[in-house]
Amino acid sequence: MRATAFALAVGGLTFLITVIWGGPFIEILRRLGIGKQVRVEIADVHSRKIGTPTMGGLLILFPVLIVTLGLNIANLLLRDITGRSILVPLAVLIYYGGLGALDDWEGVRGERVVGEGIPARLKFAAQVLGALGTALVLYYGLDIHSMAVPGIPFKFDLGLLYIPIAMFALVGTSNAVNLTDGLDGLAGIITASAFAAYGVIAQLQGQVYLVQFCFVMVGACFAFLWFNAHPAQLFMGDTGSLALGATLATVALMTGQWLILPIIAIIPVAETVSVILQVASVQISRRLWGEDRRIFRRTPLHHHFELGGWSETQIVQRFWLVGILASIVGVALALL
């Protein structure tokens, strides 16, 4: 119980640190002219967001980095406060956050078309490279290569097959959260709920250090939402969405309960599936009937409901309710 109390306290501390420096950070972004650029296809409904400071993922990254490293320094002096294993998701957070920051910077200040970041192929290759490095560290460094199945009391050793599966989970989740980041507060609240769920799962497994990291992430995400609540003063950009998605997948892999990740992260999964179905429907209809026939009004999925008359706040709150229920179901499955 003391370990749980400590993890919750650290999460609260992270929240306070992040909120305190949030205001000055937003002012710095404004002075640097790092403002949101909206894609042409959604400018009709999101034109008011143009110019709002972006790269807000840094608001999450820096406090998490400071608190996590601080706990590890304390471990050298006092022992048993935290562990080296949480340096793996921290490294993932920094790597994908750096990649996202580069993409955001190029989209705002780069020489390419305004609103477009680094080339998609280069961005994807960097994601895959980071995923490969993470999978190898998990497999060889932490000796993690198993899969837990709800209802079965033992884990299945996947051997080398674990590496491509882990890579797919990392790249897929990072892009899924990136697609979810389209409305004020949506990606932040969904990922905070997912990290809380995996924090509970890690607690059930006795992974004290991972519990601490999860609730540090929850505290930082909640603090970001303080400034990202509608109408947003700050957007996380790819700096935050890519980092949060990849880090969430890493935490899921470290618990062995990655099979329930699509349930806990049901909203990002639904957003991704909507895009895949939309693209497929357009391609197929063009070949069969010579015209575009779409399943959704617009994708990702939150835009479909937006054009259907739901307000931005309604979509975020309803998606969050679904996300919370999915997290509860995920934790229940982990208990089986």
Side-chain angles (χ1 to χ4, degrees):
M1 293 300 293
R2 290 184 61 186
T4 303
F6 183 75
L8 295 174
V10 170
L13 175 64
T14 306
F15 173 83
L16 290 175
I17 293 174
T18 309
V19 167
I20 288 171
W21 92 290
F25 174 68
I26 292 174
E27 184 60 30
I28 291 172
L29 291 178
R30 284 178 178 151
R31 289 179 180 274
L32 292 175
I34 302 177
K36 174 74 173 179
Q37 302 296 323
V38 176
R39 300 195 314 272
V40 174
E41 59 267 28
I42 62 172
D44 54 337
V45 292
H46 285 183
S47 59
R48 67 185 183 281
K49 298 179 184 289
I50 295 176
T52 301
T54 188
M55 292 182 72
L58 294 174
L59 183 66
I60 298 173
L61 266 63
F62 284 135
V64 172
L65 175 63
I66 292 170
V67 172
T68 304
L69 290 181
L71 289 174
N72 274 272
I73 292 173
N75 182 53
L76 295 176
L77 301 174
L78 303 176
R79 297 183 179 277
D80 296 328
I81 287 185
T82 190
R84 291 177 297 173
S85 60
I86 61 173
L87 295 179
V88 177
L90 181 65
V92 171
L93 184 77
I94 295 171
Y95 177 84
Y96 281 86
L99 175 62
L102 177 60
D103 189 52
D104 287 336
W105 179 262
E106 286 296 315
V108 175
R109 314 289 285 182
E111 298 179 357
R112 303 185 75 219
V113 177
V114 174
E116 292 187 9
I118 59 179
R121 290 184 179 180
L122 178 60
K123 179 179 175 181
F124 181 74
Q127 287 178 284
V128 172
L129 181 62
L132 175 60
T134 304
L136 291 175
V137 170
L138 290 174
Y139 188 92
Y140 291 105
L142 299 182
D143 195 30
I144 299 175
H145 38 76
S146 62
M147 173 184 68
V149 178
I152 298 179
F154 57 87
K155 294 182 179 180
F156 294 91
D157 191 333
L158 299 177
L160 289 174
L161 182 61
Y162 179 86
I163 294 176
I165 291 176
M167 291 176 62
F168 177 79
L170 283 156
V171 175
T173 310
S174 65
N175 283 301
V177 174
N178 184 237
L179 289 172
T180 306
D181 182 31
L183 299 179
D184 296 350
L186 182 57
I189 198 67
I190 292 299
T191 51
S193 301
F195 275 113
Y198 272 107
V200 173
I201 292 172
Q203 175 64 34
L204 294 172
Q205 296 178 344
Q207 296 198 58
V208 178
Y209 310 137
L210 196 58
V211 177
Q212 294 171 8
F213 181 82
C214 285
F215 283 101
V216 165
M217 292 299 301
V218 171
C221 287
F222 278 174
F224 171 78
L225 289 167
W226 185 277
F227 302 100
N228 187 237
H230 184 74
Q233 300 172 261
L234 177 71
F235 298 132
M236 71 166 60
D238 283 18
T239 308
S241 59
L242 292 182
L244 290 178
T247 306
L248 177 62
T250 304
V251 168
L253 290 165
M254 291 179 68
T255 64
Q257 292 284 359
W258 51 266
L259 205 58
I260 61 175
L261 178 59
I263 296 175
I264 291 177
I266 191 171
I267 295 300
V269 169
E271 298 272 22
T272 304
V273 170
S274 72
V275 173
I276 294 173
L277 291 176
Q278 189 84 320
V279 172
S281 66
V282 170
Q283 294 295 327
I284 293 173
S285 62
R286 282 179 181 176
R287 293 183 180 181
L288 295 179
W289 300 289
E291 61 181 17
D292 292 352
R293 295 187 181 182
R294 304 173 186 271
I295 299 175
F296 304 98
R297 300 181 185 94
R298 183 178 292 167
T299 56
L301 188 60
H302 54 263
H303 291 313
H304 171 79
F305 291 105
E306 197 171 25
L307 293 180
W310 290 17
S311 70
E312 189 165 351
T313 303
Q314 284 178 318
I315 297 171
V316 172
Q317 290 181 342
R318 288 168 179 172
F319 276 31
W320 182 37
L321 291 174
V322 173
I324 291 177
L325 290 173
S327 295
I328 293 172
V329 171
V331 173
L333 289 173
L335 286 169
L336 294 178

